[in-house]
Amino acid sequence: MRRISFYFPLLALAPIVLQGACGASDDHDETLGANDIAAWEDAYQQTDMGKVDSSGCSGVVIPDKSGFAKRVALTFDDGPNPATTPQVLDILKQYGIKATFFINGKRVTSDAARAVLARILEEGHILANHSQNHLNLKTVGIAKVQEEVQKTHDVILATGATPRYFRFPFGSASCAGVDLVEGYGYAVTGWHIDSADWCFAASGSGHCSQSTFRFVPDGYRDDMVGYVMSQVKSKNGGVLLFHDIHQNTASHLSEVIQKLKDGGFSFVNVDDAAAFPLLNGATPAPTPFVGDSCKSDTECNFTDNGKSGSCHLFTPAGGAETGFCTVACEGYCPDKSGKAPTFCTSLDGGTTGSCVSKADTSNGNCSKIAGTAATTANRFIGSSNASASTAQACLPN
């Protein structure tokens, strides 16, 4: 059974109403409360800090994690907004860039909104599904998830387009929700880089406060463009998340694009199979990973954030020496499409951290990893800012 990810609740936070750059409403009628902020933080940790070990059914993580070669795919959520989306389209047209617009069906109730969708398609962009009402779909029943998916699915079909990509609001998904979405034929599409434009818009002045999103460095609190550039450079490209409903985003988009172009980046769309082959249905090449059997380090020839995989050898009770692949960790571990979720724990009594497989249907609840059994393990935190946690992991028995 796939594991469900968790949040880091911020119960002391008061709700924040998102506003545009000049304090006026930007047509974003959700209130950003503590649970929403926690969901954004969880999403950030899944993409930027490797906290994929919390779930085998992420709505955030794209299976293509590298090889972008300075290619960027621009994506825009939560529209259409008849006031700001056309501004975004004007800028994209100016630069000759195609993008993907993940829409909320509830916004398509007027002729003006429908005209925006028509323009998106006419100018060669992709219309994609972001649910009907922008609910946290991890926290509602599966019948409600289906309703949210179906209604916006129908909105897009009415334009004459056939939607192929779905993005969970906040990237927050349950395993059942992912299965349902994939049953429609959608590719669940997260992101590699969160522009945090939702945070910069929250104040109405272009300032992203620490209480709203703690992962933006203080030096970028008033500099969304600088923050975006730092994140794109750190990933060497990838899928970039914006929200076309914010005036602050529309006002700074041209500057972001020009700086990316000046930095040698090029622009593709999410359907570019060369940049994002796994997202677009390619089968991952068979390579070793955490939990695979091994007899020596040479059989674990993979890396994670510059750290090389290694073989953890052990002799189970009453058995012969065996081993499984691991990699050093502090707090978090990578996941890989087609493999069991992973967890950072200690295999040496607490001195160092090592990635291990979680007990999962894909490994027969650990029975397919020789010499291991499903055991309650404590997270190895080390110098990371990870929270204390436990998991059922495949540990030597």
Side-chain angles (χ1 to χ4, degrees):
M1 182 176 184
R2 289 187 291 189
R3 305 286 292 183
I4 305 297
S5 63
F6 54 87
Y7 295 137
F8 297 87
L10 303 176
L11 300 179
L13 294 177
I16 297 170
V17 178
L18 293 175
Q19 294 183 317
C22 298
S25 169
D26 61 10
D27 197 33
H28 190 258
D29 53 10
E30 291 87 17
T31 297
L32 193 63
N35 289 336
D36 297 334
I37 293 172
W40 279 120
E41 292 209 344
D42 187 57
Y44 175 88
Q45 291 180 92
Q46 289 189 51
T47 55
D48 282 34
M49 301 172 66
K51 193 188 71 62
V52 196
D53 63 358
S54 62
S55 174
C57 6
S58 173
V60 182
V61 176
I62 294 177
D64 305 284
K65 298 179 182 179
S66 61
F68 308 132
K70 304 193 83 169
R71 291 172 292 191
V72 176
L74 299 180
T75 65
F76 298 89
D77 286 10
D78 295 4
N81 180 341
T84 52
T85 306
Q87 296 177 48
V88 169
L89 289 168
D90 288 345
I91 294 166
L92 296 176
K93 186 174 183 178
Q94 174 189 345
Y95 284 96
I97 295 170
K98 307 305 179 186
T100 300
F101 290 81
F102 289 88
I103 67 165
N104 293 138
K106 71 172 183 180
R107 296 188 179 278
V108 188
T109 58
S110 66
D111 289 342
R114 285 185 282 273
V116 172
L117 297 192
R119 181 181 172 187
I120 287 171
L121 293 174
E122 287 168 3
E123 296 185 359
H125 305 290
I126 294 172
L127 272 182
N129 193 331
H130 194 40
S131 82
Q132 183 73 7
N133 293 294
H134 204 276
L135 306 177
N136 185 330
L137 297 184
K138 187 177 178 181
T139 65
V140 300
I142 194 64
K144 184 63 174 176
V145 175
Q146 181 166 13
E147 178 185 331
E148 288 289 306
V149 174
Q150 184 67 53
K151 285 185 174 180
T152 298
H153 185 76
D154 291 341
V155 167
I156 297 174
L157 289 178
T159 68
T162 300
R164 295 173 50 200
Y165 302 94
F166 183 90
R167 177 170 284 166
F168 282 88
F170 313 105
S172 185
S174 67
C175 293
V178 168
D179 289 343
L180 185 148
V181 165
E182 291 178 343
Y184 275 78
Y186 283 113
V188 175
T189 308
W191 55 87
H192 300 105
I193 306 123
D194 178 2
S195 67
D197 63 341
W198 54 273
C199 180
F200 289 94
S203 66
S205 63
H207 174 78
C208 176
S209 70
Q210 198 275 343
S211 61
T212 303
F213 194 48
R214 61 191 172 103
F215 292 120
V216 171
D218 287 345
Y220 293 119
R221 290 281 169 206
D222 296 291
D223 183 10
M224 186 186 78
V225 175
Y227 177 68
V228 170
M229 291 301 300
S230 72
Q231 295 298 294
V232 175
K233 288 177 181 178
S234 72
K235 300 290 179 67
N236 202 35
V239 175
L240 174 55
L241 166 66
F242 284 109
H243 297 79
D244 52 309
I245 59 170
H246 299 314
Q247 183 59 56
N248 189 64
T249 299
S251 297
H252 288 88
L253 181 60
S254 182
E255 184 181 359
V256 170
I257 291 173
Q258 189 59 55
K259 284 185 177 294
L260 287 171
K261 287 174 64 69
D262 292 345
F265 289 90
S266 60
F267 296 90
V268 295
N269 215 341
V270 296
D271 61 350
D272 189 306
F276 313 113
L278 300 181
L279 175 65
N280 288 288
T283 302
T287 55
F289 193 62
V290 173
D292 287 352
S293 62
C294 59
K295 293 292 185 180
S296 68
D297 289 347
T298 58
E299 297 178 70
C300 303
N301 58 333
F302 65 94
T303 61
D304 174 55
N305 290 323
K307 296 171 289 188
S308 297
S310 62
C311 185
H312 178 72
L313 293 170
F314 62 98
T315 303
E321 185 181 65
T322 186
F324 57 77
C325 291
T326 183
V327 67
C329 62
E330 289 190 332
Y332 308 114
C333 288
D335 269 359
K336 182 178 178 180
S337 178
K339 296 288 188 178
T342 59
F343 189 70
C344 182
T345 190
S346 180
L347 297 173
D348 61 6
T351 302
T352 61
S354 298
C355 293
V356 299
S357 292
K358 283 186 175 183
D360 186 73
T361 53
S362 64
N363 57 33
N365 199 37
C366 302
S367 65
K368 296 180 182 179
I369 304 178
T372 73
T375 307
T376 301
N378 294 315
R379 169 174 277 163
F380 181 84
I381 296 175
S383 61
S384 74
N385 67 350
S387 300
S389 181
T390 62
Q392 288 295 298
C394 302
L395 300 183
N397 60 12

